[in-house]
């Protein structure tokens, strides 16, 4: 063992002497305190540049326009929609639009995150930020067609093991929350449940 004596008390004293500093990236601490689940986003970024890098394809930009996330002329200005609350520490529609677009990026990068977000919300009792529901339609096609059923099953088993109340909350979120109307035309689904299974 280490020299200097001390025995078993030395590791305990060292552990008690440790100091922790929790770093707050993108307003995450305020979200935890409010029990809100949202995607961290680059608060200082130019929303139009982020939007241009995330909404790369014409069909994505068209869906964003139909949902009121882009002006109807396709310009990179503020969104027409303003009914979602801005994230903690954010100001105005630019931050609100950036939050939605960043959720789109996060969910599209790994569509299984849709299922994970629902699971964490149900299991931990956190509310999903309203921007999540605006971003979900951009990940549904990939979630339904590209994510292996075994990966979805693993997430569904985890929520089933969490107990009855979290499972019922999960099912309520999956089957009970309507997706934005613009996503239902042209092959969209009115509820989140079908792509989850």
């Amino acid at each position: 063992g280490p020299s200097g004596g001390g025995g078993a008390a030395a590791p305990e004293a060292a552990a008690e002497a440790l100091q922790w500093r929790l770093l707050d990236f993108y307003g995450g601490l305020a979200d935890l305190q409010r029990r809100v689940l949202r995607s961290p986003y680059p608060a200082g970024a130019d929303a139009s540049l982020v939007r241009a890098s995330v909404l790369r394809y014409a069909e994505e930009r068209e869906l964003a326009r139909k949902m009121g996330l882009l002006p109807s002329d396709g310009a990179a200005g503020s969104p027409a929609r303003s009914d979602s609350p801005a994230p903690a520490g954010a100001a105005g529609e630019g931050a609100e639009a950036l939050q939605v677009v960043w959720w789109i990026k996060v969910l599209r990068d790994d569509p299984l995150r849709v299922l994970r977000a629902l699971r964490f919300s149900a299991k931990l009792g956190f509310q999903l930020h309203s921007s999540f529901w605006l971003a979900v339609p951009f990940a549904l096609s990939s979630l339904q067609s590209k994510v292996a059923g075994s990966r979805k099953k693993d997430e569904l088993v985890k929520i089933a093991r969490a107990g009855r109340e979290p499972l019922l909350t999960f099912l309520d979120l999956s089957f009970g929350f309507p997706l934005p109307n613009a996503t239902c035309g042209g092959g969209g689904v009115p509820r989140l449940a079908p792509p989850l299974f």
Side-chain angles (χ1 to χ4, degrees):
S3 61
E12 290 176 10
E16 288 180 21
L18 286 176
Q19 294 182 8
W20 298 92
R21 181 182 306 159
L22 188 57
L23 301 176
D24 186 8
F25 291 102
Y26 305 127
L29 289 178
D31 289 337
L32 288 174
Q33 292 166 345
R34 293 180 315 151
R35 302 189 60 81
V36 172
L37 183 61
R38 75 170 171 93
S39 176
Y41 72 104
D46 181 323
S48 62
L49 294 176
V50 173
R51 192 180 298 118
S53 70
V54 171
L55 301 173
R56 298 180 303 244
Y57 304 106
E59 60 271 6
E60 292 173 334
R61 289 188 298 273
E62 181 59 27
L63 178 57
R65 272 191 287 284
K66 285 181 181 178
M67 293 176 63
L69 300 174
L70 285 176
S72 59
D73 65 357
S78 296
R81 185 180 188 96
S82 62
D83 60 346
S84 301
E93 287 185 6
E96 182 181 311
L98 188 56
Q99 174 64 65
V100 174
V101 172
W102 203 254
W103 259 120
I104 292 168
K105 178 197 178 311
V106 166
L107 297 177
R108 194 181 56 213
D109 286 351
D110 182 2
L112 193 62
R113 289 177 179 153
V114 172
L115 206 57
R116 288 187 188 127
L118 293 171
R119 178 170 58 90
F120 291 143
S121 175
K123 185 176 179 180
L124 302 174
F126 277 50
Q127 177 185 2
L128 286 163
H129 191 273
S130 58
S131 58
F132 170 82
W133 298 104
L134 294 172
V136 162
F138 293 85
L140 291 182
S141 176
S142 294
L143 179 61
Q144 192 163 22
S145 63
K146 295 180 182 175
V147 176
S150 60
R151 292 182 69 206
K152 293 178 190 179
K153 182 199 74 125
D154 290 345
E155 291 298 320
L156 294 169
V157 167
K158 288 175 187 177
I159 191 61
R161 288 183 180 155
R164 183 172 191 242
E165 285 304 313
L167 178 59
L168 292 174
T169 301
F170 174 85
L171 292 173
D172 187 46
L173 289 170
S174 301
F175 287 92
F177 197 91
L179 294 177
N181 288 336
T183 65
C184 298
V189 292
R191 300 278 188 253
L192 183 54
L196 296 179
F197 299 99

